[in-house]
Amino acid sequence: MGRARCQDAPALYDVVLTNPPFGGKEGKDAQTRFPYKTGATQVLFLQHVIDSLKPGGRCGIVIEAKGREIQEAITQSRAIKP
């Protein structure tokens, strides 16, 4: 039933507001489609959100204060322009 509700959802979004999962670890198979390789669920989730935004799209996301790894992932994805 869950998949049926989502089948008509758009592939890309103008705005995403989210609170990602923190503290989890994923295996290498979950990392294959992202440029920044990590097992941290919050960083993988952030990369998924970035990939889900339309060009010029915006994201509001809760992140941890110790976000060095998150900063590196954003930089590698070129989601923020210098």
Side-chain angles (χ1 to χ4, degrees), residues 7-12 15 23 25 33 36-37 39 41 45-47 49-50 52-53 64 69 78:
Q7 78 183 41
D8 294 328
L12 299 175
V15 177
K25 290 288 180 191
R33 60 178 280 237
Y36 184 80
K37 306 301 180 201
T41 54
F45 193 85
L46 173 62
Q47 291 181 95
V49 168
I50 291 168
S52 300
L53 289 170
E64 294 176 290
E69 190 174 17
R78 295 185 173 94

Side-chain angles (χ1 to χ4, degrees), residues 1-77:
M1 183 171 162
R3 289 193 183 265
R5 283 190 227 168
C6 297
Q7 78 183 41
D8 294 328
L12 299 175
Y13 299 89
D14 294 311
V15 177
V16 175
L17 302 174
T18 186
N19 184 357
F22 291 103
K25 290 288 180 191
E26 294 292 332
K28 294 212 181 280
D29 57 321
Q31 302 173 32
T32 58
R33 60 178 280 237
F34 300 110
Y36 184 80
K37 306 301 180 201
T38 180
T41 54
Q42 67 271 24
V43 178
L44 294 171
F45 193 85
L46 173 62
Q47 291 181 95
H48 171 69
V49 168
I50 291 168
D51 289 348
S52 300
L53 289 170
K54 289 180 180 178
R58 297 175 293 152
C59 171
I61 189 167
V62 176
I63 60 170
E64 294 176 290
K66 59 178 184 179
R68 179 75 181 146
E69 190 174 17
I70 292 174
Q71 181 182 8
E72 290 175 18
I74 292 171
T75 302
Q76 278 194 10
S77 71

